[in-house]
Amino acid sequence: MGVKYERIIERAVALGLPIAEYEFRNTKKNPAPDPPFLIYFCSEDQTGTDERNTIRKISGSIELYTDRKPDHDLERRIEREVLFDIEFHKTTAPIQSENMYQTAYDFNVVQKI
């Protein structure tokens, strides 16, 4: 089996950017950060019904949000420091209502539980 999902998230945290699972909750006490920041999430499928053969297939996503334009230097860091040993699909799109760009990295990992 390859790299575990949790290890990928640890690598993303190590980049030092604000990061949250699913979303930042914007409150007076804890306001959402200014870009750049990362959001991550996943969906999982489990196969195997006995204790020795439980396999989890995880479809993960790490999204980079940047101010006004894509940040190619940060994208390269994510690709070199976080996702260097797994296949991924990258999509970049403007979020015009927020004056931001989103670069999404979608990937799949399979790990034994």
Side-chain angles (χ1 to χ4, degrees), residues 25-85:
R25 300 199 194 292
N26 194 10
T27 64
K28 285 183 181 181
K29 196 174 194 178
N30 210 6
D34 291 328
F37 59 84
L38 299 170
I39 301 291
Y40 67 94
F41 52 91
C42 72
S43 64
E44 301 179 23
D45 291 313
Q46 185 168 304
T47 60
T49 55
D50 61 36
E51 294 176 12
R52 291 175 289 164
N53 296 312
T54 304
I55 303 295
R56 190 157 288 165
K57 298 174 185 171
I58 301 173
S59 296
S61 186
I62 296 175
E63 298 174 350
L64 169 65
Y65 291 86
T66 55
D67 198 17
R68 294 187 191 91
K69 62 181 176 149
D71 186 324
H72 300 298
D73 291 333
L74 274 176
E75 291 172 15
R76 281 189 287 279
R77 281 192 66 204
I78 291 169
E79 293 163 17
R80 271 193 330 260
E81 298 174 33
V82 180
L83 302 172
F84 60 88
D85 56 355

